[in-house]
Amino acid sequence: MNLSANRLTIFGLGYVGLPLALIYAVKGYPVYGVDISAELVRDLRAGITGHLESYRGRPIRDVLGECLSSGSFIPTSHPDQVWAASSNFIVTVGMPVKGDRPDFAPLERVCRTISRGLKKGDTVMIRSTVVPGTTEEIVLPILENSGLKGGEDFSLIYCPERISEGKAFDELENIPVLISGIDQRSMEQGTKIIKMISRVDPVPVSRIKTAETAKVVENIQRDVNIALMQQVSEFCAKLGIDVCELMKGANTHPRVHLLQPGPGVGGYCIPNALHYLAPKASETGTDISLLTLSRQINREVPKKIAGKIKLYFRDKRQSGTPSKLAVLGIAMKDYCSDDRDSPIVHIIEDLTGSGMVVSAYDNWVGTNYPFQEKDLHLCLLKADGLLIGALQRDVNYQQFKLFKSLMRENPVIFDTKGVINKSEAEKYGFEVIDL
């Protein structure tokens, strides 16, 4: 395999696919990026992306612009143009969950597209998180509809991504990934592709199904850990204990790694993980009630927080006008632009559905919500309360003098992140409530 002799093609240019395509491109391996969204492709060709990534100090927009100018990255929504120039195909298209059931359609559609152009000697690598068994039971048969035989005529690899949004480039280079293939040649081909961008060797796994399950379990263990800490946090609040201090102390133990509780668990990866495991658990009659309970606990957190806010204003604010709540940060987690399944958005929707006025500030999230305000001052103006949601780097959360000058009398801060200097805020007349 000579990657320098032809372009890699990456299918899916989202939060995984775009950084992956660009890191190959900056390392000297030309890339086609294919995405079904013509609008996304137009934006990328114009050098526009809302991703909050940086590569060795350079913002992703700069990296994108350089790769476009050099021709090392070509985004397209027309896959038929890539077949002749490419023999290595990487799939990053996700598996959405609808009604708690995984939707195989996007992955199946991409595999059917690849099967139309698949040639002898080609390599296909799946980097998506999938239901265990998907690569061999669904992907392989679709690719073999090309008339070619997997393991004889083409290589097939499963190598799940492990990146966190905001750290994608660094983690693509420095975190070891699991890799498995349908035969030894596939493993060798896949290892070469990974080592083109990674400083560390991939971790070989004997069976594809093992690698698929390991990736799902990696996500589920975080769901379970956070659910544990959500309940510990409630216990601490009733006992008058600082949960952040508790975590800091407990995590000094070398075999303890507690994750921080918060307003809920959002995004694409962790909330979906249980639903990738559930079909096979049902098929095999395996009890996964602990995992199901953990997902339920985390899913209910936004509703609980909204309930506490509504109760506060009902008890404390007896005026006839609806209370106004300002919200800082609506992304699904700190320091990112992704708002998929954002717990903060769920909280806001619950509050507005109950008649509360909500104004939210987050200039990194591209979705245009009716409650969104592009100006921080207008967001805070005449607000009765302030909810600290997802953290963003362009906000100073300790500027209490500014907050107080814009908000109404006797304001309250609801802190879901433990970032507010409570004693300092109280000097300016704020009541601070940890959620």
Side-chain angles (χ1 to χ4, degrees), residues 217-229:
V217 171
E218 288 173 13
N219 289 344
I220 289 178
Q221 71 85 24
R222 282 181 281 168
D223 209 18
V224 174
N225 191 317
I226 294 169
L228 162 70
M229 290 310 298

Side-chain angles (χ1 to χ4, degrees), residues 223-405:
D223 209 18
V224 174
N225 191 317
I226 294 169
L228 162 70
M229 290 310 298
Q230 298 290 12
Q231 295 202 327
V232 169
S233 179
E234 290 187 21
F235 174 80
C236 288
K238 292 178 180 178
L239 212 60
I241 294 173
D242 183 340
V243 69
C244 294
E245 185 179 9
L246 178 147
M247 286 177 54
K248 185 177 180 181
N251 282 339
T252 60
H253 192 297
R255 291 183 293 280
V256 174
H257 182 60
L258 302 176
L259 298 180
Q260 185 169 349
V265 178
Y268 193 88
C269 299
I270 298 178
N272 285 349
L274 169 69
H275 306 300
Y276 295 153
L277 205 65
K280 290 296 180 182
S282 177
E283 183 181 307
T284 58
T286 305
D287 179 9
I288 56 169
S289 53
L290 170 63
L291 315 185
T292 303
L293 178 60
S294 298
R295 180 86 296 271
Q296 180 183 342
I297 289 170
N298 287 329
R299 186 161 43 204
E300 290 177 352
V301 170
K303 184 177 180 180
K304 284 186 174 182
I305 289 178
K308 290 177 181 178
I309 294 172
K310 287 186 284 189
L311 183 62
Y312 174 89
F313 283 117
R314 189 190 71 187
D315 291 346
K316 301 290 185 180
R317 313 287 182 179
Q318 300 296 334
S319 65
T321 59
S323 299
K324 177 184 175 181
L325 182 73
V327 179
L328 299 184
I330 60 173
M332 64 90 174
K333 68 171 188 174
D334 299 341
Y335 312 120
C336 81
S337 59
D338 188 356
D339 61 333
R340 291 175 295 178
D341 201 19
S342 166
I344 301 298
V345 172
H346 293 321
I347 292 169
I348 293 172
E349 290 173 343
D350 189 314
L351 295 174
T352 56
S354 300
M356 187 174 291
V357 177
V358 178
S359 181
Y361 174 81
D362 193 323
N363 274 350
W364 298 106
V365 170
T367 307
N368 293 315
Y369 291 101
F371 50 76
Q372 204 164 352
E373 177 55 67
K374 294 298 184 183
D375 184 273
L376 175 62
H377 293 70
L378 292 177
C379 173
L380 291 162
L381 189 62
K382 296 184 178 179
D384 300 286
L386 171 60
L387 174 66
I388 307 299
L391 304 182
Q392 297 291 15
R393 290 188 173 86
D394 65 334
V395 177
N396 176 0
Y397 297 93
Q398 314 303 326
Q399 50 188 338
F400 305 117
K401 185 176 181 179
L402 172 66
F403 295 166
K404 183 66 183 296
S405 70

Side-chain angles (χ1 to χ4, degrees), residues 28-213:
Y29 305 106
V31 179
Y32 279 119
V34 180
D35 199 282
I36 195 172
S37 170
E39 181 181 2
L40 173 61
V41 169
R42 282 196 301 271
D43 283 347
L44 292 175
R45 285 185 168 180
I48 299 170
T49 176
H51 292 207
L52 301 183
E53 304 286 353
S54 63
Y55 180 64
R56 300 183 182 179
R58 290 182 293 158
I60 190 171
R61 282 200 178 198
D62 293 352
V63 177
L64 173 60
E66 292 169 11
C67 292
L68 291 169
S69 297
S70 68
S72 57
F73 174 56
I74 299 177
T76 180
S77 53
H78 303 289
D80 289 341
Q81 75 181 76
V82 310
W83 308 131
S86 191
S87 60
N88 301 285
F89 306 103
I90 301 176
V91 177
T92 69
V93 172
M95 183 176 287
V97 170
K98 298 179 179 179
D100 293 345
R101 298 182 65 84
D103 181 6
F104 292 84
L107 181 60
E108 291 173 334
R109 183 166 54 243
V110 146
C111 291
R112 284 195 295 270
T113 297
I114 293 173
S115 72
R116 295 202 305 267
L118 200 61
K119 310 175 296 297
K120 269 197 169 187
D122 283 355
T123 298
V124 179
M125 176 181 284
I126 306 298
R127 300 218 59 178
S128 314
T129 306
V130 298
V131 174
T134 296
T135 304
E136 292 162 297
E137 297 167 12
I138 293 177
V139 172
L140 180 58
I142 292 175
L143 295 178
E144 288 185 335
N145 285 338
S146 63
L148 302 178
K149 181 73 173 174
E152 295 179 11
D153 301 316
F154 65 90
S155 297
L156 178 60
I157 304 115
Y158 182 71
C159 178
E161 57 81 18
R162 280 177 160 174
I163 64 172
S164 175
E165 290 169 36
K167 303 177 182 177
F169 288 118
D170 176 68
E171 294 186 345
L172 284 168
E173 282 188 319
N174 297 305
I175 288 184
V177 293
L178 305 181
I179 190 166
S180 191
I182 56 173
D183 64 351
Q184 185 58 35
R185 181 175 176 275
S186 295
M187 288 282 283
E188 292 169 359
Q189 297 284 74
T191 298
K192 290 177 184 178
I193 291 173
I194 293 300
K195 291 182 74 171
M196 296 294 175
I197 59 169
S198 179
R199 297 174 178 174
V200 291
D201 291 340
V203 179
V205 178
S206 61
R207 298 181 62 194
I208 288 178
K209 194 176 293 185
T210 303
E212 292 170 326
T213 306

